[in-house]
């Protein structure tokens, strides 16, 4: 199983450019998440999707939009990138209750630099 | 107030010794979950252990155990018999409430260095 797959792994943008980070999971999970990790800090939640067709803001949603395209895919879009959005972005999905200990599965991350 | 506090920015331990990484949390919910994740230099997030607020026994997973002290609101990670491969950043995280859809709040992390 691939688990949670994120693309791209690395990206450099100029201020004002837009881009979409892609995320897909093959574990049939309902809930998916986007986190960002700044140097020396823990992860902060940007947006999440409790189930297909729903999305909600997390702790740091400003400057981002998301789309839950279907049960598998959850994308994160930066409409006009800013240097403050330089970070490592992680997508994650959550195993449903009753299928083992509660656990988030993370993708390998996208390192984004905005110049 | 910080929901998750990890007071040790860095820790050092000798190979084969045990080490405790501290984590305290703040919540008014009765139902919550506590997690530890490992992040090696390669950057991926590796799940280590989970403790539910209603679990009476401390969680264990191989060499990892979670020292859960509910009254003190602490959830320390104990790694027994440290290995060189344990050198990494360690994050404590919390899920509050029953219907928070798994949203986790993370601490700032502790860098663990294992010396040979």
């Amino acid at each position: 199983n691939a688990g949670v797959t994120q693309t791209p792994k690395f990206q450099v943008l100029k201020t004002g450019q837009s881009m979409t980070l892609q995320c897909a999971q093959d574990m049939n999970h309902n809930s998916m998440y986007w986190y960002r990790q700044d140097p020396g800090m823990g992860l902060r939640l940007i947006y999440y999707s409790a189930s297909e067709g729903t999305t909600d803001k997390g702790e740091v949603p400003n400057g981002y939009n998301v789309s839950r395209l279907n049960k598998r895919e959850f994308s994160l879009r930066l409409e006009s990138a800013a240097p403050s959005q330089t970070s490592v972005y992680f997508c994650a999905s959550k195993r449903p209750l009753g299928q083992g200990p509660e656990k988030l599965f993370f993708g390998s991350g996208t390192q984004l630099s905005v110049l | 107030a910080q929901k998750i506090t990890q007071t040790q920015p860095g820790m050092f331990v000798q190979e084969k010794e045990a080490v405790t990484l501290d984590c305290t949390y703040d919540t008014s919910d009765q139902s919550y979950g506590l997690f530890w994740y490992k992040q090696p230099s390669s950057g991926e997030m590796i799940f280590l252990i989970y403790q539910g607020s209603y679990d009476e026994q401390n969680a264990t997973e191989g060499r990892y155990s979670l020292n859960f002290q509910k009254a003190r609101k602490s959830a320390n990670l104990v790694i027994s018999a440290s290995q060189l491969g344990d050198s990494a950043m360690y994050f404590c995280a919390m899920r509050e409430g029953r219907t928070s859809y798994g949203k986790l709040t993370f601490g700032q992390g502790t860098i663990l260095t294992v010396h040979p």
Side-chain angles (χ1 to χ4, degrees):
Chain A
N1 283 341
V4 179
T5 303
Q6 285 182 240
T7 56
K9 291 191 183 301
F10 301 94
Q11 184 71 48
V12 179
L13 294 177
K14 294 181 180 178
T15 298
Q17 287 185 318
S18 63
M19 79 159 295
T20 299
L21 279 65
Q22 307 286 353
C23 175
Q25 52 91 9
D26 62 1
M27 296 173 283
N28 202 35
H29 291 170
N30 291 319
S31 301
M32 297 184 72
Y33 313 83
W34 276 104
Y35 284 89
R36 62 177 286 174
Q37 182 181 21
D38 298 316
M41 295 183 68
L43 280 67
R44 292 183 293 168
L45 183 65
I46 305 170
Y47 270 93
Y48 69 101
S49 170
S51 61
E52 186 178 356
T54 69
T55 61
D56 276 293
K57 295 178 181 179
E59 182 185 353
V60 288
N62 291 345
Y64 305 95
N65 284 302
V66 291
S67 296
R68 183 73 183 268
L69 306 169
N70 48 55
K71 192 170 186 179
R72 289 186 64 248
E73 299 172 286
F74 187 38
S75 62
L76 178 72
R77 182 161 179 83
L78 287 71
E79 291 290 352
S80 178
S84 60
Q85 294 178 305
T86 294
S87 190
V88 179
Y89 292 84
F90 287 96
C91 178
S93 68
K94 179 176 177 290
R95 177 159 60 190
L97 295 175
Q99 293 188 11
E102 188 170 339
K103 180 178 176 179
L104 258 64
F105 294 78
F106 283 86
S108 57
T110 296
Q111 194 165 324
L112 175 67
S113 295
V114 183
L115 306 177
Chain B
Q2 293 269 17
K3 288 191 176 288
I4 295 286
T5 303
Q6 295 181 253
T7 57
Q8 306 154 316
M11 287 286 286
F12 296 89
V13 66
Q14 207 72 25
E15 193 179 8
K16 299 181 184 176
E17 292 185 348
V19 63
T20 297
L21 305 184
D22 294 341
C23 173
T24 57
Y25 60 92
D26 181 25
T27 181
S28 56
D29 286 332
Q30 295 301 308
S31 176
Y32 52 89
L34 296 157
F35 302 76
W36 278 91
Y37 278 85
K38 172 184 177 182
Q39 187 177 45
S41 58
S42 55
E44 73 259 43
M45 296 290 288
I46 301 169
F47 170 81
L48 295 179
I49 199 165
Y50 165 78
Q51 178 87 39
S53 59
Y54 294 118
D55 295 339
E56 293 185 353
Q57 292 196 331
N58 287 342
T60 60
E61 292 281 353
R63 293 187 299 111
Y64 304 106
S65 61
L66 197 152
N67 185 359
F68 181 45
Q69 298 189 35
K70 198 169 183 175
R72 295 185 178 183
K73 293 190 174 179
S74 75
N76 299 339
L77 177 71
V78 180
I79 305 174
S80 63
S82 298
Q83 301 173 356
L84 295 179
D86 294 334
S87 292
M89 175 78 91
Y90 289 80
F91 291 103
C92 179
M94 175 174 64
R95 181 263 304 148
E96 292 181 272
R98 288 183 178 275
T99 58
S100 60
Y101 304 110
K103 294 183 295 177
L104 299 190
T105 301
F106 285 80
Q108 292 194 315
T110 296
I111 299 175
L112 176 66
T113 303
V114 181
H115 289 302

